[in-house]
């Protein structure tokens, strides 16, 4: 069911967005089947089937992963370069920008060892998924590879009998898959998982897997070998590095909705930022223990940046928009984070900056931080605007996206954040005032309430809240220059 939702959801939503719903009595038409990314939905009887195209693509995917695992099994017979025989913690879904900073992984390593995520803190051997390595490992206890599981299969000291058993079971898995899909062709959706399942079972019996840590980037599917607590000895943890996952509520209709995939998440333990988000996941039916540990940024707090001037400092956090055609392709019926809205977000903040300078007689610096770097899916109109505005004296001071958010926010008087991005909760954690700013005046304030977080609908309300926040801070520190 989880895989059906993963494959079919966005094509279905994209198909729905193209319909003239006002003139259609039904959608979908009850007498027609729908091809949603290769998942065929039959509205009359509720059946689900798989298209020949997706069946073939899934088999090819199985074959590639099966061959890769076969290579890892066979290469493990050869003499090993590694002498580390301890059970491994497998880590999946941490972005390369969080793993490496300034050419090495020391910031990430320090977070794992001293941070609040218990399975990472106690781990002594970590094999971390990394598809684009951009730095050096600072310790031999951390290995960065594209396929952590295959790396462990290669590295594991299993002995001849267990490795031979793994090889025989792996060679038999295509026939197991064939028998399964003869009974139910839809099971081909799980083919990739079957390529790994036998090897994982043997590694687990040999106690070579200590823990598995995944992130919310794997929200849409957890493979078969991660499921079934009673059939394995290792524990699966999901770490939520972001909480901006709840669909917006629009003021015009007040409709509350949830992303369907979240109902199907299956892990043993979950790690989140806030109590409110814990309650949200529990409401969706997420099983297992949920730990609330504060902001999860993959690095530890640092000292605030020194302020050598008397300027007012405002941190600004955006969401870089994707191209309109990309949004349409992934089924975003109403893409709030489109270039038009994000450009308006920036322009309104520049207006607020000018008003504040006029009101206070002091320079106002806008420290602007992206979550991560640009890629080919992002909208060039927005990128070009930010490049122009971040020229010297043009209005924005572009902060490198690798900058420690704790030190940045601690050095600022307040922050303005696009709804409902997670930096607001970092600011709240630090006691720094934050304002979610909706320039479109379309959203209802549906965010999780927390100390020092406000919501502004339109620039007039933003100006009022920002002015009040700066005045309140001035009064607290006894700064008459700001208070005036």
């Amino acid at each position: 069911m989880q895989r059906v939702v993963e494959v079919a959801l966005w094509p279905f939503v994209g198909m729905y967005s193209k319909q003239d719903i006002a003139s259609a009595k039904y959608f979908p038409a009850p007498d027609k089947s729908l091809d949603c990314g290769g998942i065929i939905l039959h509205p009359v009887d509720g059946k689900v089937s798989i298209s020949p195209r997706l069946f073939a693509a899934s088999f090819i995917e199985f074959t590639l992963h099966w061959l890769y695992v076969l290579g890892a099994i066979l290469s493990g017979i050869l003499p090993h370069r590694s002498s580390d025989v301890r059970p491994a913690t497998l880590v999946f879904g941490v972005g390369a920008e969080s793993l490496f900073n300034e050419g090495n992984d020391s910031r990430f390593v320090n977070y794992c060892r001293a941070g609040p995520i218990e399975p990472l803190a106690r781990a002594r051997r970590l094999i971390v998924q990394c598809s684009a390595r951009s730095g050096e490992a600072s310790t031999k206890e951390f290995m960065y590879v594209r396929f952590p599981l295959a790396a462990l299969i290669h590295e594991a000291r299993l002995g001849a009998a267990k490795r031979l058993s793994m090889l025989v079971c792996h060679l038999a898995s295509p026939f197991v898959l064939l028998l399964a899909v003869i009974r139910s062709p839809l099971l081909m959706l799980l083919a990739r998982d079957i390529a790994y399942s036998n090897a994982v079972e043997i590694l687990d019996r040999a106690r070579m897997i200590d823990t598995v840590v995944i992130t919310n980037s794997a929200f849409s599917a957890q493979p078969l070998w991660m499921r079934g607590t009673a059939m394995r000895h290792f524990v699966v943890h999901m770490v939520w590095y972001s909480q901006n996952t709840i669909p917006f509520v629009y003021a015009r209709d007040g409709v509350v909705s949830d992303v369907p995939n979240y109902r199907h998440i299956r892990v043993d333990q979950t790690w989140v930022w806030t109590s409110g988000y814990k309650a949200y996941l529990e409401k969706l039916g997420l099983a297992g223990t949920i730990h609330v540990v504060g902001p999860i940024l993959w690095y530890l707090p640092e000292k605030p940046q020194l302020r050598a001037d008397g300027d007012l400092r405002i941190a600004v956090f955006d969401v870089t928009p994707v191209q309109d055609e990309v949004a349409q392709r992934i089924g975003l019926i109403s893409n709030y984070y489109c270039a038009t809205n994000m450009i308006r977000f920036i322009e309104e903040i520049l207006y607020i900056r000018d008003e504040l300078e006029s009101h206070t007689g002091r320079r106002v610096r806008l420290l602007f931080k992206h979550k991560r770097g640009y890629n080919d899916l992002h909208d060039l109109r927005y990128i070009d605007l930010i490049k122009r505005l971040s020229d010297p004296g043009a209005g924005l001071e572009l902060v490198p996206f690798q900058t420690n958010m704790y030190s940045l926010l601690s050095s600022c008087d307040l922050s303005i954040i696009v709804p409902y991005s997670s930096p607001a909760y970092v600011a709240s954690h630090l006691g720094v005032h934050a304002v979610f700013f909706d320039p479109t005046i379309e959203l209802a304030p549906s965010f999780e309430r927390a100390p020092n977080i406000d919501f502004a609908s339109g620039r007039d309300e933003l100006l009022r809240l920002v002015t009040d926040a700066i005045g309140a801070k001035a009064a607290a520190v006894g700064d008459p220059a700001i208070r005036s």
Side-chain angles (χ1 to χ4, degrees), residues 312 355-364 470 481-482 484:
L312 297 175
E355 290 294 306
L356 280 177
E357 288 186 338
S358 176
H359 178 69
T360 64
R362 299 175 66 174
R363 181 189 177 205
V364 177
I470 290 175
I482 299 180
S484 63

Side-chain angles (χ1 to χ4, degrees), residues 286-302:
L286 192 69
T289 305
I290 302 179
H291 307 270
V292 178
V293 295
I296 300 171
L297 302 176
W298 305 117
Y299 51 73
L300 297 171
E302 293 179 353

Side-chain angles (χ1 to χ4, degrees), residues 33 69 156 204 225 297 322 325-326 334 343 369 376 397 403 412 426 439:
S33 61
V69 173
D204 184 41
W225 59 268
L297 302 176
V322 297
E325 55 268 29
V326 174
S334 178
I343 289 172
K369 184 179 182 299
D376 293 339
E397 298 179 41
T403 299
C412 290
V426 182

